[in-house]
Amino acid sequence: MRAMVEPMLSFTVSPTIIQEADSDATALNLVAVGMGVSFVVAATSPLPDVVLKPVAELDHALTLALVWNAATQSPLIANFVDTVRTVWDREPAARSS
């Protein structure tokens, strides 16, 4: 979150961080009860009285990880992992690392 706040400092915005959220759901609930503003991923579903606005100027990569329990023997999981690996290998321009 701090990496996203840094660019605001050049616009003379000086946020006071009193609470940090570890999930979008927590962030939305903090905003809903009037405890400030937050950045969330674009796919987040808003709560009543919470407004989501895109920030076109914000260019911050979102790092995701695919995780699964290796001990679970499931054709569905194996197929999903294979699909993600195929897309990953085919679309190198879509990732930053």
Side-chain angles (χ1 to χ4, degrees):
M1 180 60 80
R2 299 226 186 255
M4 296 172 75
V5 172
E6 292 293 326
M8 289 191 301
L9 299 178
S10 66
F11 294 103
T12 65
V13 174
S14 198
T16 301
I17 300 172
I18 58 170
Q19 179 71 44
E20 292 190 29
D22 60 358
S23 71
D24 287 345
T26 301
L28 286 175
N29 280 293
L30 289 169
V31 170
V33 299
M35 290 189 66
V37 298
S38 184
F39 291 104
V40 295
V41 296
T44 301
S45 298
L47 296 173
D49 299 323
V50 173
V51 178
L52 297 181
K53 294 284 186 180
V55 182
E57 297 81 13
L58 184 62
D59 185 18
H60 187 73
L62 176 64
T63 302
L64 300 176
L66 178 61
V67 296
W68 67 94
N69 184 330
T72 302
Q73 299 296 316
S74 166
L76 183 62
I77 293 173
N79 187 41
F80 181 73
V81 170
D82 287 344
T83 300
V84 170
R85 285 180 174 150
T86 299
V87 171
W88 178 263
D89 290 341
R90 189 178 355 154
E91 302 293 336
R95 59 181 183 267
S96 60
S97 59

